[in-house]
Amino acid sequence: MKRLLTVRSGYLYIVLGSALISGIFLFAVHRVFALLYSHYSSNPNALFVRLSHWLINHIGKTPLAVLIFLAVFTVVFMLRSQKIADDVKALLKAAGELANQGSYEKLEVSSGGELREIAACLERINQKVKRTSTQSILSEKVEEVPPILPGNEEIMALILRMKSLLRLLEDTGKGEDREESVVHTRMEVIKQEALGMERLMESLITPS
């Protein structure tokens, strides 16, 4: 089944479908034209009859039919192939963001076959890069602090949190060209550190 869901088979399906729709439309136009001509043929001076004679004499029945068929075929083909074109543009945009920024935010591909497989590969690469970035952020070490004296554990814990918060703020301020996902992760870590400092300071203020 996967061998049938390819870009080549997709375009073949679009071409055959467009040709079939164009043929049906041309047949319908021919029948309507025949009915209208038979209705107005009794009046040679009617606008429809004169226009029909001009088209037939200057263009011809066969060239006119070919032009109508090609016009309808082109319109239908462009409309039906728009989905594949949009998927290719989405893949190019995601690949460009992945190459320039290290990751991308969103990728949607509605086609199957090779395009769906390429999208799956890009998604795996993107998830791996995001996990690596998150782990590197969370595994950053805090600067060494003096030995903790007995009875000063809460104060030293507050100092550690302050140093970690300052380090995260400094790195976030320098990383203006980083992708939004990394910055968002840093902001979440900063928020957690700030909440932890708030709880620690409340515990120090509140008498035991």
Side-chain angles (χ1 to χ4, degrees), residues 2 18 23 35 47 49-50 64 82 99 105 110 116 118-119 130-131 134 150 157 163 168 181 184 187:
K2 290 184 178 180
S18 302
L35 291 174
L47 178 62
V49 175
R50 287 185 295 169
L64 188 61
Q82 187 63 41
E105 291 298 325
S110 56
R116 181 65 62 83
I118 294 173
K130 286 185 176 181
R131 287 196 299 268
T134 304
K163 287 180 176 290
L168 290 171
S181 58
H184 179 71
M187 295 305 296

Side-chain angles (χ1 to χ4, degrees), residues 27-198:
F27 176 77
V29 170
H30 180 268
R31 296 298 301 172
V32 172
F33 180 83
L35 291 174
L36 291 176
Y37 188 82
S38 62
H39 178 73
Y40 290 103
S41 60
S42 59
N43 185 10
N45 295 324
L47 178 62
F48 179 80
V49 175
R50 287 185 295 169
L51 180 61
S52 302
H53 290 168
W54 186 90
L55 291 174
I56 294 173
N57 294 331
H58 290 79
I59 300 178
K61 292 183 179 180
T62 301
L64 188 61
V66 172
L67 288 176
I68 295 175
F69 180 86
L70 291 178
V72 177
F73 177 85
T74 302
V75 173
V76 176
F77 179 84
M78 295 298 292
L79 292 176
R80 292 178 66 86
S81 62
Q82 187 63 41
K83 182 177 70 172
I84 297 179
D86 292 339
D87 291 340
V88 173
K89 290 179 181 178
L91 289 172
L92 290 175
K93 181 180 178 181
E97 292 179 356
L98 190 62
N100 297 327
Q101 304 177 9
S103 66
Y104 59 86
E105 291 298 325
K106 186 179 181 181
L107 174 60
E108 293 183 357
V109 174
S110 56
S111 301
E114 297 95 333
L115 298 182
R116 181 65 62 83
E117 293 179 3
I118 294 173
C121 293
L122 290 177
E123 186 66 25
R124 288 196 296 269
I125 295 174
N126 189 53
Q127 293 298 329
K128 185 176 180 180
V129 170
K130 286 185 176 181
R131 287 196 299 268
T132 304
S133 301
T134 304
Q135 291 174 0
S136 63
I137 293 173
L138 297 178
S139 62
E140 291 180 347
K141 294 183 179 180
V142 184
E143 297 179 356
E144 294 184 359
V145 296
I148 302 176
L149 299 177
N152 295 331
E153 291 84 359
E154 293 84 357
I155 297 176
M156 296 310 299
L158 182 60
I159 293 174
L160 288 173
R161 286 187 175 274
M162 290 180 63
K163 287 180 176 290
S164 177
L165 185 60
L166 290 174
R167 172 71 66 80
L168 290 171
L169 288 173
E170 182 181 358
D171 292 343
T172 304
K174 293 180 180 179
E176 294 180 355
D177 58 340
R178 295 193 179 189
E179 61 272 15
E180 294 182 1
S181 58
V182 177
V183 176
H184 179 71
T185 305
R186 285 188 178 276
M187 295 305 296
E188 290 294 329
V189 176
I190 291 173
K191 182 179 178 181
Q192 295 298 327
E193 289 291 334
L195 292 175
M197 290 176 60
E198 181 182 0

